[in-house]
C-alpha cells in the first residue's frame, strides 16, 4: 500500500513571493505518477502539475514546479510569484502506473494562504 | 466542453435513510472514480468504474455501492446512513489510457 505525507498543515506567503510545499511518499512500486492538486473554496479539485516517476527531469507548469527526488521519495511543489488566486488547499497524490487513470492516494493537504 | 457534473450539490439526510448521488463525466470519458472527503479521514478512494464494470474498490463497508451506465454516467448509493457518512463526495472522470483525472465540484452530504 502507498502512503503520502504532507507535514505542513498550513502555510502563508506574501503576494509575489515564492513558497515550497513538502510531500513525501512511501511505495514499493517503481512505475508511478505523482500529482499536486489544488482545491479552492469552490471545492473542485484542479490538477496543478504531474510528474512521471521514470522521468528524471522535474516537471514545470508556468509558475509551478516540482522537486522530485525519487530515491528520497520526496515531491515538493514550488510556487513562484504567488498570487491571491493561489490561496487554496493543496494535495499531493500518488497513482500507480497501470496504463490509465486509476486510484489516487492523497496526502492530508496543506492550506496555503497568500496575503497582500 | 462541459466538465464533470455532480448532482445534487447539497443533500441533507436522516440517519438510517439511503441516498443516491449522480456523476456525469466529461463527454468521451469512460472511467469514473469516487472519493470521500472528510476533515478527519481526508480524501479516500471509494471505487472506480470503467465501461460499466467496477475495476477497483476502496476499503469501505458494503453500504457503499456504485454503478455505471452505458452512457458512462455513474451513481453511488449509500444505504443505512450513519452520522459519519457526512462528507464531500467527489467524482472524477478520465479518458481511457490517460492519467489525468478531472474532478467535479462534489456533493456535500450531511447526515443528521
Amino acid at each position: 500500500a502507498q502512503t503520502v505525507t504532507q507535514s505542513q498543515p498550513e502555510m502563508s506567503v506574501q503576494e509575489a513571493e515564492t513558497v515550497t510545499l513538502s510531500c513525501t511518499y512511501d511505495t514499493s512500486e517503481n512505475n508511478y505518477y505523482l500529482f499536486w492538486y489544488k482545491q479552492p473554496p469552490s471545492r473542485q479539485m484542479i490538477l496543478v502539475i504531474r510528474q512521471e516517476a521514470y522521468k528524471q527531469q522535474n516537471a514545470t507548469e508556468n509558475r509551478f514546479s516540482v522537486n522530485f527526488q525519487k530515491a528520497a521519495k520526496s515531491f515538493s511543489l514550488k510556487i513562484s510569484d504567488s498570487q491571491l488566486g493561489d490561496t487554496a488547499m493543496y494535495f499531493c497524490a500518488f497513482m500507480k502506473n497501470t496504463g490509465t487513470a486509476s486510484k489516487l492516494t492523497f496526502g492530508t493537504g496543506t492550506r496555503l494562504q497568500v496575503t497582500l | 466542453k462541459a466538465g464533470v457534473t455532480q448532482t445534487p450539490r447539497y443533500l441533507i439526510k436522516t440517519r438510517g435513510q439511503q441516498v443516491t448521488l449522480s456523476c456525469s463525466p466529461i463527454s468521451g470519458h469512460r472511467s469514473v472514480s469516487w472519493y470521500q472527503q472528510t476533515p478527519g479521514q481526508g480524501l479516500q478512494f471509494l471505487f472506480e468504474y470503467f465501461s460499466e464494470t467496477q475495476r477497483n474498490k476502496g476499503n469501505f463497508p458494503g453500504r457503499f455501492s456504485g454503478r455505471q451506465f452505458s452512457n458512462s454516467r455513474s451513481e453511488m448509493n449509500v444505504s443505512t446512513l450513519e452520522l459519519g457518512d457526512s462528507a464531500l463526495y467527489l467524482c472524477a472522470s478520465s479518458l481511457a489510457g490517460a492519467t489525468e483525472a478531472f474532478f467535479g465540484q462534489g456533493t456535500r452530504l450531511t447526515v443528521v
Side-chain angles (χ1 to χ4, degrees), chain B residues 14-36:
Chain B
T14 304
R15 264 184 307 175
Q17 286 187 314
Q18 74 164 11
V19 67
T20 299
L21 312 182
S22 178
C23 172
S24 293
I26 293 171
S27 178
H29 288 197
R30 291 162 59 193
S31 172
V32 173
S33 297
W34 289 88
Y35 294 83
Q36 181 196 64

Side-chain angles (χ1 to χ4, degrees), chain A residues 71-104:
Chain A
K73 294 182 180 165
S74 169
F75 183 61
S76 61
L77 173 70
K78 185 171 84 170
I79 306 174
S80 304
D81 186 26
S82 296
Q83 300 175 359
L84 295 177
D86 295 333
T87 294
M89 281 289 289
Y90 285 81
F91 292 94
C92 178
F94 172 100
M95 186 178 77
K96 181 179 168 182
N97 185 357
T98 61
T100 188
S102 61
K103 170 188 172 182
L104 286 160

Side-chain angles (χ1 to χ4, degrees), chain A residues 28 42 101:
Chain A
S28 58
S42 68

Side-chain angles (χ1 to χ4, degrees), chain B residues 42-59:
Chain B
L43 281 149
Q44 293 186 286
F45 172 78
L46 280 155
F47 26 64
E48 182 210 355
Y49 286 87
F50 182 82
S51 292
E52 301 179 67
T53 301
Q54 188 180 85
R55 195 158 65 172
N56 209 345
K57 189 177 189 306
N59 190 25

Side-chain angles (χ1 to χ4, degrees), chain A residues 22-37:
Chain A
S22 301
C23 172
T24 58
Y25 60 95
D26 190 26
T27 184
S28 58
E29 301 288 340
N30 196 45
N31 195 359
Y32 51 87
Y33 293 89
L34 294 165
F35 304 86
W36 278 98
Y37 277 90

Side-chain angles (χ1 to χ4, degrees), chain A residues 43, chain B residues 9-11 21 35-39 41-42 44 46 60 64 81-90 106-111:
Chain A
R43 306 178 324 203
Chain B
R9 292 289 307 279
Y10 301 90
L11 206 48
L21 312 182
Y35 294 83
Q36 181 196 64
Q37 185 175 21
T38 61
Q41 299 297 318
Q44 293 186 286
L46 280 155
F60 277 81
F64 292 80
L81 283 165
E82 301 176 359
L83 295 179
D85 297 333
S86 294
L88 178 66
Y89 290 88
L90 291 165
T107 293
R108 171 76 68 188
L109 171 65
T110 302
V111 182

